[in-house]
């Protein structure tokens, strides 16, 4: 039985793909005079920000992070977009008696800001951010922490995301996993990690829960 659906935030429940790309481009150009291909940047989606910036400049990653955060926050509300059907999907899951939550690599302040922007924050039963765990995606600890907070077993949860880090985090925790195919990452690469489900649109998650819980 699926007792909770846990969502990644960026690229899954909120469309922040352009926001992230623009923030990386601004930061890497300013500090390193780098112009990084979009396809390379998206491969880092789902990682903690510091990890990604260390990949480009390990010695000055914290300086880059300050620039990234400042620029990202300045354009956040203008560039971030709602995923069509997200609000309705959350409402339907809760109507079915299923808890919903966020497991994200985004720090809490900005995660809550993004959720508030689209009136989604109050719907969440749990929110796990990097401040809550020692290890992060793709490790299973964030998903395990969310399940502990909800009082359920990991195998009773469905982890939904748009990156390999989300799928691996769910699998490493022992949860069921679901890929959203509207990801900007190479679909075939994520499918190599064998998610339990893959959906074309976010509303399709309701069908999965109904099939598992009411068959």
């Amino acid at each position: 039985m699926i007792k909770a659906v846990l969502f990644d935030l960026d690229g899954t429940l909120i469309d922040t793909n352009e926001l992230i790309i623009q923030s990386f481009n601004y930061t890497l150009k300013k500090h390193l005079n780098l112009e990084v291909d979009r396809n390379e940047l998206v491969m880092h989606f789902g990682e903690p920000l510091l990890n990604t910036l260390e990949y480009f400049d390990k010695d000055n990653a914290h300086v880059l992070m300050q620039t990234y955060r400042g620029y990202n926050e300045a354009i956040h509300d203008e560039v971030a977009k709602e995923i069509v059907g997200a609000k309705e999907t959350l409402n339907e899951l809760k109507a079915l008696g299923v808890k919903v939550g966020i497991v994200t690599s985004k720090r809490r302040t900005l995660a809550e800001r993004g959720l508030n922007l689209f009136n989604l924050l109050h719907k969440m039963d749990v929110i796990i951010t990097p401040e809550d765990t020692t290890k992060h995606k793709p490790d299973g600890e964030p998903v395990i922490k969310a399940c502990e907070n909800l009082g359920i077993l990991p195998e009773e949860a469905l982890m939904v995301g748009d990156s390999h880090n989300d799928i691996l985090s769910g699998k490493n925790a022992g949860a069921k996993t679901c890929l959203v195919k509207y990801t900007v990452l190479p679909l075939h690469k994520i499918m190599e990690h064998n998610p339990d489900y893959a959906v074309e649109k976010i509303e399709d998650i309701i069908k999965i829960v109904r099939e598992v819980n009411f068959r």
Side-chain angles (χ1 to χ4, degrees):
M1 188 170 184
I2 297 174
K3 294 184 178 180
V5 178
L6 305 173
F7 294 91
D8 170 55
L9 184 59
D10 290 326
T12 301
L13 209 56
I14 296 176
D15 183 355
T16 52
N17 294 326
E18 282 305 316
L19 172 67
I20 295 170
I21 292 292
Q22 289 183 33
S23 300
F24 274 126
N25 283 339
Y26 176 84
T27 302
L28 296 175
K29 181 67 175 178
K30 177 177 180 178
H31 288 281
L32 305 174
N33 198 30
L34 275 179
E35 294 184 4
V36 180
D37 185 83
R38 178 190 184 94
N39 292 330
E40 180 180 350
L41 290 174
V42 300
M43 293 307 296
H44 294 281
F45 280 17
E47 297 176 352
L49 176 60
L50 185 61
N51 290 19
T52 305
L53 294 174
E54 284 178 343
Y55 173 81
F56 292 102
D57 187 348
K58 188 172 182 62
D59 294 334
N60 300 295
H62 281 89
V63 176
L64 269 65
M65 185 162 66
Q66 289 181 339
T67 297
Y68 178 101
R69 285 178 170 175
Y71 186 77
N72 185 277
E73 290 179 18
I75 67 171
H76 181 279
D77 293 2
E78 177 185 351
V79 180
K81 299 177 182 177
E82 187 174 8
I83 295 291
V84 175
K87 191 177 301 178
E88 293 78 8
T89 298
L90 295 175
N91 287 340
E92 182 63 22
L93 289 171
K94 294 184 78 71
L96 292 171
V98 176
K99 295 183 182 297
V100 297
I102 294 294
V103 177
T104 179
S105 294
K106 177 178 278 186
R107 59 199 170 104
R108 182 169 294 273
T109 301
L110 210 55
E112 292 184 349
R113 178 174 164 182
L115 289 166
N116 257 328
L117 187 62
F118 301 108
N119 199 28
L120 301 177
L121 180 60
H122 70 283
K123 300 181 186 298
M124 297 302 159
D125 296 298
V126 66
I127 299 175
I128 299 298
T129 66
E131 296 96 322
D132 299 309
T133 59
T134 302
K135 298 178 181 178
H136 312 296
K137 300 177 188 177
D139 193 272
E141 185 177 341
V143 174
I144 292 172
K145 181 73 172 180
C147 293
E148 288 176 350
N149 287 5
L150 292 173
I152 66 170
L153 299 172
E155 53 264 37
E156 296 172 323
L158 177 66
M159 177 65 203
V160 180
D162 68 320
S163 83
H164 53 289
N165 289 306
D166 303 315
I167 303 306
L168 288 171
S169 184
K171 283 185 173 292
N172 288 330
K176 300 175 183 67
T177 57
C178 179
L179 169 69
V180 291
K181 288 186 175 181
Y182 49 82
T183 176
V184 295
L185 281 77
L187 188 60
H188 69 282
K189 285 288 187 183
I190 309 177
M191 290 302 292
E192 290 175 359
H193 297 290
N194 299 312
D196 296 291
Y197 306 97
V199 296
E200 299 287 345
K201 56 187 187 299
I202 196 166
E203 296 97 325
D204 293 338
I205 294 167
I206 299 167
K207 299 177 186 176
I208 295 172
V209 172
R210 287 185 179 278
E211 289 173 1
V212 173
N213 290 5
F214 303 105
R215 58 189 173 192

